[in-house]
Amino acid sequence: MESKNIFVIGLDPFNETLLRGLPNADHYRFYDLLGYREAIRPTSRQIDLDELLTKAEERLSTFEGHIDAIIGYWDFPCSVIGPVLRQHHGLPGPRLEAVAACEHKYWSRLEQRRVLPDLVPQFRAVDPFASDPLSNMDLPFPFWLKPIKAHSSFLGFKIENRSDFEACLPIIRSEIGHFGRPFDTFLAMVEMPEEVTSIGGYYCIAEKIISQGEQCTLEGYAYAGDVAVYGVVDSIRTGQHQSSFSRYQYPSRVPSSVQDRMIEAAKQFIQQIGYDCAPFNMEFFWEPRTDVLSILEVNARISKSHCPIFKMVDGVSHQQVAIDLALGQRPNPPYREGRFPLAAKFMERVFEDGVVETIPSAENLASFHEGFPDSMLRILIHEGQRLAHLPYQDSYSFEIAEIFLGAETQTALLEKYRAVLEILPFKFGEGALH
């Protein structure tokens, strides 16, 4: 097998370890196209999409070998940088308009409603910079308000009444440009439908609340017009308004008949927008009492959060799917060939601001790796850090660590999680609650 040169956007040590553990990794040469601190967590917290694309093009132009593939596994701006670069270099990938129809929340809702009207909640575009943004809004309270483009529930608020709206409006106006400005740069590259042209990155979308019941994410891909789903992951929430994720668990425990309905809906939407030769993930809510199924959102990428748990259950991180598609090949992901029948990513959270006083020591980490050798851990904070300064958090909590665990049973999984917490001490000052 001939070696392939694969350029990765935002290559970081944690995910590089997973990439180098892929079955064909000996035949891949991975190159860091844009650094983690450039494309994913810029030190200035300002995303300049033009600058990032220019840097990437300069690095690709000076590469002396053949450019075989460009991949990414992060959210915006990575989710659009990859398709733009692949198009420019004539590599396999989706149309930019199809990517935008996933990433632009309002545009995506319009396309969903065309083919799946019963699965789409009421929604409205909201201009947060209007003198009275609610004056022409006929969507009743309560509703969710979030930017047209963001991630990690950044600037997402549950709006119970006008006073809630007015309280969050200054925050949105102050922060929305962080993603809005670079997203507008991307939108200028695509041909937008007339009904969307005025709805740019500085807009929000208001949606009827559908966060009741079971939440699931489908991981799939489109190749040569065919749409396939290779995994369904449960998303378990916690905290105020059930707005913060506590864990992702694979495989899903939702009935197979419901999963089949989700898969059929995903196929209809992906084919509707002409999305092809790329991975996607699509999130749903299912209400068991009423059997109502609703679409939450669609993302034009794999979920990096699911990579370790796919490896634990199926035997291979689904980064392999992204690589296969970027090389123009149909993926053939393994099924249930991993070490464990089930696995989860636990997101350890704090629900009040404070200063980090203590994180797990080297001895604690050694105990973790010795006691749980098949597990993985990422600590997302450092001592002396104020939680309010963490980037890209949801509006109601702060994520401090990611713990990836596999187990034989549901009971064993939760017991293992509690045992891990016993050897990973975190301490916060100034009133933070753990």
Side-chain angles (χ1 to χ4, degrees):
M1 180 178 178
E2 183 182 354
S3 292
K4 300 294 184 180
N5 298 316
I6 300 173
F7 289 82
V8 185
I9 303 165
L11 188 63
D12 64 305
F14 183 86
N15 286 286
E16 183 175 4
T17 299
L18 290 168
L19 285 168
R20 297 197 182 281
L22 294 174
N24 294 323
D26 290 345
H27 300 284
Y28 300 145
R29 296 191 184 97
F30 295 109
Y31 299 90
D32 190 359
L33 181 56
L34 290 168
Y36 178 81
R37 288 296 177 188
E38 290 177 308
I40 312 305
R41 293 290 187 269
T43 53
S44 66
R45 290 198 65 190
Q46 297 299 315
I47 299 171
D48 187 326
L49 190 62
D50 280 329
E51 180 181 334
L52 290 172
L53 288 169
T54 298
K55 285 182 178 180
E57 291 288 11
E58 289 174 348
R59 291 163 189 174
L60 291 170
S61 67
T62 59
F63 183 68
E64 295 182 354
H66 189 267
I67 301 169
D68 294 301
I70 300 171
I71 68 164
Y73 39 76
W74 298 94
D75 210 315
F76 184 82
C78 173
S79 56
V80 303
I81 291 174
V84 170
L85 294 174
R86 286 194 286 271
Q87 183 179 90
H88 184 259
H89 289 270
L91 296 170
R95 296 181 308 113
L96 297 188
E97 285 75 15
V99 173
C102 294
E103 299 284 300
H104 188 300
K105 294 186 187 299
Y106 184 75
W107 186 349
S108 188
R109 283 303 195 196
L110 293 176
E111 298 293 348
Q112 294 165 27
R113 192 168 63 184
R114 287 188 175 96
V115 291
L116 300 161
D118 294 339
L119 275 63
V120 180
Q122 292 177 277
F123 63 96
R124 300 290 185 272
V126 178
D127 179 3
F129 294 94
S131 56
D132 184 4
L134 292 179
S135 60
N136 296 318
M137 254 271 280
D138 58 352
L139 189 65
F141 297 113
F143 55 79
W144 279 105
L145 184 70
K146 49 193 172 183
I148 287 297
K149 182 70 245 173
H151 63 69
S152 307
S153 301
F154 180 68
L155 296 183
F157 296 93
K158 185 178 182 182
I159 307 299
E160 300 276 6
N161 47 49
R162 176 175 280 272
S163 63
D164 280 353
F165 184 87
E166 292 174 349
C168 74
L169 198 57
I171 303 171
I172 291 174
R173 287 172 172 170
S174 173
E175 299 289 332
I176 196 171
H178 181 74
F179 290 111
R181 182 172 60 88
F183 193 56
D184 278 346
T185 300
F186 169 67
L187 292 178
M189 304 176 191
V190 306
E191 184 176 344
M192 300 172 66
E194 184 177 349
E195 57 196 332
V196 182
T197 52
S198 64
I199 313 297
Y202 284 80
Y203 262 73
C204 291
I205 185 171
E207 298 182 339
K208 181 180 177 182
I209 293 173
I210 56 171
S211 55
Q212 300 295 320
E214 309 293 330
Q215 183 176 348
C216 297
T217 300
L218 274 60
E219 292 283 0
Y221 65 86
Y223 180 83
D226 295 331
V227 181
V229 171
Y230 54 85
V232 183
V233 181
D234 286 336
S235 301
I236 293 90
R237 291 175 175 263
T238 188
Q240 185 179 8
H241 311 309
Q242 293 292 294
S243 59
S244 303
F245 290 112
S246 63
R247 75 178 185 273
Y248 301 136
Q249 184 167 315
Y250 178 63
S252 172
R253 293 179 291 172
V254 166
S256 59
S257 59
V258 177
Q259 294 185 35
D260 289 342
R261 290 160 56 195
M262 294 178 184
I263 292 169
E264 179 58 29
K267 290 180 177 180
Q268 291 185 48
F269 173 76
I270 294 299
Q271 291 171 341
Q272 160 70 17
I273 63 174
Y275 186 84
D276 202 13
C277 203
F280 68 89
N281 67 73
M282 192 165 179
E283 299 177 41
F284 291 84
F285 270 105
W286 172 61
E287 171 50 69
R289 292 184 300 105
T290 61
D291 200 31
V292 170
L293 193 64
S294 303
I295 300 170
L296 181 57
E297 67 178 32
V298 188
N299 297 295
R301 57 179 174 82
I302 64 169
S303 168
K304 65 174 178 56
S305 292
H306 298 160
C307 292
I309 60 178
F310 271 93
K311 181 178 181 179
M312 290 175 178
V313 174
D314 288 335
V316 174
S317 162
H318 67 151
Q319 291 161 325
Q320 185 67 59
V321 172
I323 290 175
D324 289 340
L325 291 163
L327 291 170
Q329 303 168 356
R330 184 185 294 273
N332 184 28
Y335 181 78
R336 306 300 187 263
E337 296 180 14
R339 165 74 176 79
F340 298 101
L342 71 159
K345 171 188 176 180
F346 292 86
M347 287 154 278
E348 193 64 9
R349 295 185 179 276
V350 168
F351 292 90
E352 290 187 13
D353 187 23
V355 174
V356 182
E357 293 184 349
T358 303
I359 64 172
S361 65
E363 291 78 10
N364 297 137
L365 297 179
S367 296
F368 168 78
H369 292 298
E370 181 180 352
F372 306 94
D374 295 308
S375 304
M376 303 179 74
L377 170 68
R378 292 184 71 205
I379 295 175
L380 307 176
I381 55 176
H382 57 78
E383 290 181 0
Q385 186 173 30
R386 176 163 287 281
L387 295 175
H389 295 165
L390 288 169
Y392 315 134
Q393 302 297 301
D394 67 41
S395 299
Y396 303 102
S397 73
F398 306 97
E399 187 179 1
I400 62 171
E402 300 172 340
I403 305 167
F404 299 89
L405 304 173
E408 299 295 328
T409 66
Q410 181 69 30
T411 299
L413 179 70
L414 297 180
E415 287 179 350
K416 183 180 285 191
Y417 170 62
R418 288 189 287 269
V420 166
L421 293 185
E422 290 293 322
I423 60 173
L424 295 178
F426 292 92
K427 185 178 179 182
F428 305 90
E430 301 188 24
L433 296 178
H434 182 225

